[in-house]
Amino acid sequence: MPKTDPRTLAVKILTRVATQGSYANLALDAELKKNQLEDRDAALATNLVYGVIQHGLTLDYYLKPFVKDRKLDPWVHALLQTAVYQLVYLDRIPARAIFNESTKIAKKMGNLGVGQYVTAILRNLQRSEVPDLTKLTPPAKRLSITYSVPEWLAAKLADQLGEAKTEAIFKTINQPAAASLRVNTTKTTPQALAKALAPEFPSIRESALTPVGLVADGGFLAGTKAFAEGQYTIQDESSMLVAPSLDLQPGSRVLDACAAPGGKTTHIAQSLDPAQGGAVVALDLHPHKVRLIEQNAKRLGLADRVHAQAMDAREAGDHFDAASFDRILVDAPCSGLGLMRRKPEVRYTKRPADLTQLPTIQLAILNAVAPLLKVNGRLTYSTCTMVEEENQGVVRQFLAAHPDFEQVAVPVDQPLAFAHGAPALQLFPDDYGTDGFFIASFVRK
């Protein structure tokens, strides 16, 4: 076995994610850079890491009859999950190879006894029938085990959206996410950029949601010369609908209250003209994230209209004059449940209590910035989640507390075939294959 093989690497990353709360994408990127695997091995390691996280509850359900109540070391659990994932979901790898490699890893990371235990579990599993998940009851448990989403979350979404819509969403979140970018229209056009990127990304195409978005089936879009030159930035298609919702004018003075890492900030900045007074003040609680905003703005050539500073948005009223902004964006901290396709571990880290605590923070930010908006100014509230508590529930509470605001339809740059929640705009992952996103727009009367 090579010094670093893709299966061992995957087991180590999965163990770190499970025990230290590491983000899978960051841990994987760091390990791939450090170990410099061949492309084929890097692809397998990536597949194993994301596949196991995406299907974790399903894999554990398959393992349960054989592991029973035995408490496993985290790395042994991760190793068994990778083996079962390969057996069930990867049909090009022979079972013999999976057994042999898994046993070698068990002996290398543990001892002979662990190797024998892992082999016994896998052989017993192979001799048994794969359980029929369609017969599981109640429906929330079937959805949970089939699509590997915690049962409490499956039940909540089924209650709010219906069982059919919830299942349609879950069917998409374990599929590979497309790569998407936002064109910096101050430097190039979507057509020119698509033509320039086509040789390296032959699947590059226009977004179905936004005229400034391009989409590719895969590839490292952040590794090109055009990216380094600031011709585009990486951003999900659904989040590209946020800036247009503000109905920006060249001279608008904008507050982006929760701005890091700056994707929406720089999208706003593209529509502003410093010569006419246009500028966006971008806030974030953490100084290191403020530096990310500044770096993104500089790379895109938009630093002259972006003013980033560290500040808790709930204290914005202590630092800015009342009615001093034409537009305000609150892209609020949220559960991130709309990101389960790109960040599969998010489904396991959230708890029901989060859906009580987060709306309190979201409403506090809205209440703090509302007085800073000019009369006839526009305020946008957005989240990357799909649950009513953080979306329509927050909107209702905000409007009840602020009779001088009225909700209006969310402007979009091109018609959308799928949209929910009017006058707000809710997108679900199964609508366009994007992140789940919510946008609501208000005007101060």
Side-chain angles (χ1 to χ4, degrees):
M1 182 178 294
K3 184 178 180 181
T4 304
D5 68 282
R7 291 177 176 85
T8 300
L9 197 66
V11 170
K12 290 180 177 179
I13 293 169
L14 289 165
T15 304
R16 193 179 309 160
V17 170
T19 60
Q20 300 177 21
S22 302
Y23 290 112
N25 60 331
L26 298 180
L28 180 63
D29 287 348
E31 288 296 330
L32 290 179
K33 286 178 183 176
K34 184 169 72 175
N35 290 279
Q36 298 182 335
L37 299 182
E38 294 181 4
D39 289 348
R40 180 179 174 182
D41 286 344
L44 176 58
T46 301
N47 190 331
L48 292 177
V49 169
Y50 281 105
V52 166
I53 295 174
Q54 288 169 338
H55 300 281
L57 296 182
T58 315
L59 299 173
D60 286 346
Y61 184 79
Y62 292 151
L63 282 165
K64 179 68 174 175
F66 311 103
V67 174
K68 296 185 170 59
D69 294 325
R70 177 167 175 168
K71 186 170 177 58
L72 301 175
D73 285 343
W75 73 266
V76 177
H77 181 214
L79 174 59
L80 286 170
Q81 285 184 314
T82 61
V84 178
Y85 173 71
Q86 292 171 82
L87 286 169
V88 175
Y89 295 99
L90 303 184
D91 54 8
R92 293 185 179 182
I93 303 179
R96 184 182 63 181
I98 297 168
F99 285 15
N100 289 342
E101 295 300 320
S102 299
T103 302
K104 286 179 184 177
I105 294 169
K107 291 177 180 177
K108 183 177 67 174
M109 295 182 66
N111 53 47
L112 178 62
V114 178
Q116 292 172 337
Y117 175 75
V118 166
T119 301
I121 292 289
L122 296 179
R123 293 207 179 280
N124 287 336
L125 187 145
Q126 188 187 33
R127 284 192 287 263
S128 304
E129 283 189 30
V130 175
D132 183 359
L133 304 183
T134 64
K135 295 180 180 179
L136 288 172
T137 56
K141 182 176 182 180
R142 180 185 67 81
L143 290 170
S144 171
I145 300 301
T146 302
Y147 301 105
S148 196
V149 175
E151 191 169 343
W152 73 267
L153 180 54
K156 176 168 288 295
L157 290 176
D159 179 60
Q160 294 182 357
L161 306 176
E163 189 178 325
K165 181 63 174 177
T166 300
E167 185 151 21
I169 292 170
F170 288 174
K171 282 180 178 177
T172 68
I173 61 172
N174 293 333
Q175 298 171 2
S180 59
L181 64 86
R182 192 193 78 242
V183 181
N184 181 1
T185 51
T186 67
K187 290 194 172 187
T188 186
T189 66
Q191 296 74 24
L193 183 60
K195 184 177 180 180
L197 293 177
E200 188 174 353
F201 305 93
S203 65
I204 199 88
R205 58 194 180 275
E206 294 181 2
S207 166
L209 277 74
T210 166
V212 296
L214 297 176
V215 182
D217 292 337
F220 186 44
L221 286 169
T224 69
K225 181 182 178 184
F227 177 84
E229 293 174 345
Q231 294 184 39
Y232 64 90
T233 194
I234 308 302
Q235 189 172 349
D236 187 74
E237 294 171 89
S238 57
S239 75
M240 295 183 215
L241 302 178
V242 173
S245 75
L246 290 164
D247 189 25
L248 296 159
Q249 305 302 313
S252 295
R253 185 166 187 258
V254 185
L255 175 65
D256 187 351
C258 312
K264 299 174 192 70
T265 304
T266 53
H267 193 181
I268 291 168
Q270 287 179 202
S271 299
L272 305 179
D273 181 359
Q276 299 184 44
V280 53
V281 176
L283 309 181
D284 193 87
L285 190 58
H286 306 287
H288 71 280
K289 291 187 176 181
V290 170
R291 288 192 291 275
L292 281 179
I293 300 169
E294 293 171 336
Q295 290 165 5
N296 277 327
K298 183 178 179 181
R299 180 178 59 81
L300 294 164
L302 300 169
D304 60 339
R305 61 199 81 176
V306 174
H307 309 290
Q309 55 192 102
M311 186 186 302
D312 186 332
R314 291 169 290 189
E315 300 171 359
D318 298 332
H319 300 270
F320 301 106
D321 293 335
S324 57
F325 290 97
D326 302 292
R327 304 287 189 267
I328 296 177
L329 169 60
V330 175
D331 184 50
C334 70
S335 63
L337 293 170
L339 308 177
M340 285 190 282
R341 186 201 302 253
R342 293 187 192 277
K343 297 180 177 179
E345 63 269 34
V346 75
R347 68 187 82 181
Y348 308 120
T349 60
K350 301 305 174 185
R351 300 290 179 266
D354 294 327
L355 306 189
T356 301
Q357 296 162 357
L358 285 166
T360 301
I361 297 170
Q362 293 153 357
L363 196 60
I365 296 171
L366 284 170
N367 290 338
V369 302
L372 307 181
L373 188 67
K374 295 178 181 178
V375 173
N376 296 321
R378 186 179 289 263
L379 166 64
T380 283
Y381 171 69
S382 63
T383 71
C384 52
T385 191
M386 303 180 286
V387 291
E388 192 271 348
E389 290 91 332
E390 297 181 89
N391 294 337
Q392 294 91 343
V394 170
V395 168
R396 284 194 296 270
Q397 292 181 73
F398 175 73
L399 289 173
H402 298 272
D404 55 331
F405 280 76
E406 63 178 343
Q407 188 174 6
V408 295
V410 175
V412 291
D413 286 337
Q414 61 191 44
L416 300 178
F418 304 103
H420 313 269
L425 173 58
Q426 174 82 68
L427 294 182
F428 297 106
D430 63 313
D431 293 330
Y432 291 96
T434 67
D435 293 341
F437 227 87
F438 176 83
I439 305 171
S441 292
F442 313 94
V443 169
R444 187 173 189 183
K445 295 184 285 187

